[in-house]
Amino acid sequence: MRIPLPPAMLEALGIKPIPLFMLSSWIKAAAKCGFNVQPLFKEAGITIDLIRLEEARVSPLQMVSVLEQCVAMSPDHYFPLVLGDTFAFESLPEFETLLTTSPTLRDALNAAKMARKVVLPWITIELEEKGDEAKVVIGFDVPVPNLTSFGLPLHLVSHAIMACVRKFGRNLVGHEDNFRAVHFQIAEDATPYAEQMRRFFPEGMVRFGQKEDALIFDRAALDVPLEGAFPALHEQAQRLAEQRLGKEARRQGVAAEVEELIAREPALLALGVEDMADRLNLHPRTLQRRLKDENDSYLGVQARMRHRLACDWLKRGELSIDDISARLGFSDRRAFTAAFKRWEGCTPSAWRERQL
């Protein structure tokens, strides 16, 4: 088992505790693989209280520690894929409804992006489109060195998410005729579970040693109307999901709440502390005091969100660097470039080229 690190150290690295909403999925996946997960949770120091399940939090180190042990205990199966395929939003009904009533797969992927903020906030789910091909890429929302420096096998987590996305896509569409390939970053000779991974997906779909973990499918499938579309319910579920995100952000602290607001509405970056406090129904001094109690500041939150949004928009490639600079509130492109060099050590254009 891994040695737990102080929560303050993890927080400083951008690695926050996550909710334990996936509890029943772990239990079912372990049963499918022929073992009981309860002793592993106990050994990892994870206590379960169903009455306060929404308040339960585990560190990524605890979660991955259990995940590693589950892999070792199921040699005939590749546990992350079984876990992802078993996952259900039993404790998050608004997200279940949001997904199942989606008009199209494109809308369902947007719902999945919202859901990951509650289930695994440091995971990213990005849609890329090129020609007749679409690709769902699984990545990480904190600098990877912050995680890998602790020996976290991130591929176990991303593989579970891939299986989960594939499951919901298959259930929504009703078939996998538009499915083209599964890309794994891990080399075939670097995992003893290559054969189990091949068996899990349709024959001939798995490719090892790729540049990213991704699911590849026909781009045309994104906008085909889904049989389960239910606009009125979808709209209600959207509102409830947004309320859940706000509640979760408040539980994590006022800095996280501000970040969540700005992530949903990037234009809020332009707000001063007084206007942001008004948006949160707080007195400006109360907002500043709470941020100080969290060893943070409003300027610090703004800087982090400018960095995060800059990387996100550069990676997507839909906006010019001048447009990104303006949206982030910089006076001109030179000011944006200078700030980005401080964040990433290179210019925005060089960073974008490297990502592409």
Side-chain angles (χ1 to χ4, degrees):
M1 303 293 287
R2 296 180 184 280
I3 299 173
L5 292 172
M9 182 183 296
L10 293 171
E11 290 278 349
L13 293 169
I15 307 171
K16 298 179 180 180
I18 57 177
L20 200 56
F21 291 123
M22 296 173 66
L23 175 62
S24 62
S25 300
W26 282 81
I27 295 170
K28 289 185 289 186
K32 283 186 177 182
C33 293
F35 66 93
N36 189 329
V37 77
Q38 189 270 337
L40 303 184
F41 273 78
K42 184 177 180 180
E43 187 179 354
I46 300 172
T47 56
I48 308 299
D49 182 352
L50 288 178
I51 296 176
R52 298 181 177 83
L53 186 59
E54 284 198 12
E55 300 174 11
R57 294 292 182 275
V58 296
S59 77
L61 297 181
Q62 285 176 308
M63 188 192 75
V64 177
S65 176
V66 175
L67 189 52
E68 284 182 293
Q69 298 239 0
C70 288
V71 171
M73 293 189 69
S74 52
D76 296 330
H77 303 273
Y78 184 47
F79 186 82
L81 297 183
V82 178
L83 177 62
D85 198 55
T86 307
F87 178 76
F89 290 101
E90 294 174 353
S91 302
L92 300 166
E94 59 275 77
F95 287 103
E96 179 85 21
T97 303
L98 188 63
L99 273 169
T100 56
T101 60
S102 295
T104 65
L105 274 182
R106 189 184 297 277
D107 295 297
L109 283 169
N110 287 331
K113 289 181 181 181
M114 288 184 66
R116 67 92 191 166
K117 294 180 180 179
V118 176
V119 180
L120 282 175
W122 37 274
I123 285 287
T124 60
I125 301 174
E126 297 297 338
L127 173 64
E128 298 180 6
E129 301 174 61
K130 186 176 182 180
D132 63 352
E133 184 177 276
K135 178 166 57 175
V136 176
V137 181
I138 309 302
F140 300 90
D141 199 30
V142 296
V144 171
N146 288 354
L147 295 166
T148 55
S149 61
F150 301 122
L152 285 175
L154 297 181
H155 62 278
L156 300 182
V157 180
S158 59
H159 295 175
I161 300 300
M162 291 168 72
C164 183
V165 171
R166 178 241 185 163
K167 167 201 172 174
F168 280 106
R170 180 184 63 222
N171 290 349
L172 288 170
V173 177
H175 59 79
E176 291 190 297
D177 296 345
N178 298 306
F179 195 29
R180 294 188 178 187
V182 187
H183 287 183
F184 290 111
Q185 278 188 304
I186 194 167
E188 183 173 358
D189 59 3
T191 173
Y193 294 93
E195 186 54 38
Q196 290 91 329
M197 294 163 77
R198 282 200 189 89
R199 287 202 310 264
F200 186 84
F201 293 99
E203 186 176 356
M205 293 287 184
V206 172
R207 308 281 188 276
F208 292 101
Q210 303 299 307
K211 69 175 183 177
E212 57 205 359
D213 289 328
L215 301 168
I216 318 297
F217 56 98
D218 293 343
R219 185 179 184 181
L222 283 169
D223 299 304
V224 174
L226 297 174
E227 293 294 335
F230 199 142
L233 273 182
H234 190 75
E235 184 177 344
Q236 292 177 39
Q238 177 84 22
R239 289 198 297 270
L240 291 173
E242 289 175 352
Q243 289 174 15
R244 169 81 74 169
L245 288 175
K247 181 180 178 182
E248 183 62 29
R250 287 190 292 276
R251 183 180 283 118
Q252 292 179 12
V254 71
E257 190 174 0
V258 173
E259 288 179 7
E260 179 60 35
L261 277 175
I262 294 173
R264 292 208 303 266
E265 298 180 57
L268 296 181
L269 266 176
L271 295 185
V273 67
E274 292 82 6
D275 290 330
M276 180 58 75
D278 184 62
R279 185 72 180 250
L280 295 170
N281 294 316
L282 297 173
H283 190 280
R285 284 198 297 271
T286 302
L287 173 58
Q288 291 172 316
R289 185 182 68 252
R290 290 187 183 179
L291 287 170
K292 185 177 180 180
D293 290 343
E294 297 173 17
N295 296 315
D296 213 331
S297 68
Y298 188 61
L299 289 176
V301 173
Q302 285 181 309
R304 283 200 304 278
M305 291 308 297
R306 284 193 173 95
H307 183 189
R308 183 183 301 179
L309 290 170
C311 291
D312 184 34
W313 291 337
L314 286 168
K315 188 182 297 183
R316 292 185 186 184
E318 298 166 358
L319 299 172
S320 70
I321 293 175
D322 286 328
D323 287 340
I324 293 172
S325 173
R327 288 193 180 199
L328 294 176
F330 287 95
S331 57
D332 54 36
R333 179 167 173 166
R334 285 184 300 177
F336 172 48
T337 297
F340 198 85
K341 282 183 176 180
R342 291 195 301 272
W343 297 330
E344 295 289 335
C346 64
T347 65
S349 57
W351 193 89
R352 170 176 273 174
E353 289 174 10
R354 197 163 62 211
Q355 301 306 306
L356 296 176

